[in-house]
Amino acid sequence: GQQLNQSPQSMFIQEGEDVSMNCTSSSIFNTWLWYKQEPGEGPVLLIALYKAGELTSNGRLTAQFGITRKDSFLNISASIPSDVGIYFCAGLPMRFGAGTRLTVKP
Amino acid sequence: DAGVTQSPTHLIKTRGQQVTLRCSPISGHKSVSWYQQVLGQGPQFIFQYYEKEERGRGNFPDRFSARQFPNYSSELNVNALLLGDSALYLCASSPPSPTFNRGQDVGAQYFGPGTRLTVL
């Protein structure tokens, strides 16, 4: 089946640093989504990408839909403590990556 | 505006029992999907319903079933519960996709808070 490989698995960064994570697949997806999940809650949609090559920003977050439609990345600039959580990529029809656990040290 | 709501928030059952989980989508969303998330993993797709019809099914046994009602709310049923069914069950609703011409008629999914099911 379609598998999404998300990396890195975890990141420990200093407040103020930039973060980059990515997701790759052997299959094509027509939509890429990025979510953040905090303990005990459902995933919250951060960015949705619908076109190959599309670059979309949401505040300090920027995500791109790879031109081959097999990959996507998410960047977070100037991280803050509340960025802590697990970030998931997802492709439609729905497949999720395993998540990147982000820890931000003040 | 109200987001996706799920009930109950927590549930404890014993092996062999049956459970029904409920979900109300965001107003105007006609698609509902169900996911199972075990600790430390990403959500695993169980079902997708669109306009009351099953549009997709993940790799789950027949003990799992679902339905969508005329008001677009949905129920997930799990029969003959096993210990391994313990997980967070997530419901997500979707508006129509902005890229309908690609044959993808469902857009980004918005998740509810989940139902935490514990099977003892």
Side-chain angles (χ1 to χ4, degrees):
Chain A
Q2 299 166 315
Q3 298 295 322
L4 297 188
N5 301 306
Q6 188 171 350
S7 64
Q9 211 171 22
S10 61
M11 302 183 75
F12 296 84
I13 62 169
Q14 226 31 69
E15 183 177 358
E17 289 183 358
D18 296 344
V19 173
S20 185
M21 58 190 79
N22 67 78
C23 213
T24 61
S25 172
S26 57
S27 304
I28 288 173
F29 287 95
N30 290 325
T31 301
W32 282 92
L33 308 169
W34 284 93
Y35 291 89
K36 178 187 177 186
Q37 188 174 27
E38 297 185 42
E41 299 181 9
V44 174
L45 180 67
L46 299 173
I47 292 180
L49 302 160
Y50 295 105
K51 297 180 186 177
E54 180 181 358
L55 183 73
T56 297
S57 293
N58 177 10
R60 294 179 296 106
L61 278 60
T62 302
Q64 184 158 29
F65 191 151
I67 197 72
T68 65
R69 291 195 278 155
K70 293 183 179 182
D71 64 321
S72 177
F73 71 74
L74 175 71
N75 288 337
I76 306 173
S77 62
S79 58
I80 58 178
S82 62
D83 290 334
V84 165
I86 303 177
Y87 291 79
F88 290 102
C89 63
L92 287 184
M94 290 307 278
R95 293 293 182 273
F96 274 79
T100 294
R101 183 180 294 276
L102 178 63
T103 302
V104 180
K105 292 180 269 189
Chain B
D1 287 341
V4 176
T5 59
Q6 292 186 242
S7 63
T9 54
H10 295 84
L11 204 51
I12 299 175
K13 293 284 190 177
T14 57
R15 280 179 296 176
Q17 285 190 311
Q18 175 263 341
V19 68
T20 298
L21 311 180
R22 296 177 176 82
C23 172
S24 291
I26 292 171
S27 177
H29 288 192
K30 298 180 179 179
S31 177
V32 169
S33 300
W34 287 95
Y35 295 81
Q36 180 195 68
Q37 186 178 28
V38 299
L39 201 59
Q41 296 182 19
Q44 296 293 313
F45 172 67
I46 309 176
F47 286 110
Q48 181 184 69
Y49 278 79
Y50 182 72
E51 290 274 19
K52 302 182 289 294
E53 290 188 2
E54 183 181 306
R55 284 296 188 90
R57 184 182 181 119
N59 188 24
F60 280 80
D62 292 344
R63 299 184 296 107
F64 289 76
S65 63
R67 55 181 175 167
Q68 187 177 31
F69 299 99
N71 65 354
Y72 303 112
S73 66
S74 178
E75 286 182 352
L76 175 71
N77 296 285
V78 186
N79 293 323
L81 285 167
L82 304 174
L83 296 179
D85 294 331
S86 295
L88 181 68
Y89 287 85
L90 295 162
C91 172
S93 73
S94 308
S97 170
T99 59
F100 200 88
N101 61 343
R102 286 193 181 273
Q104 177 68 50
D105 54 9
V106 174
Q109 306 208 339
Y110 296 83
F111 285 85
T115 293
R116 172 71 62 186
L117 172 65
T118 302
V119 182
L120 302 176

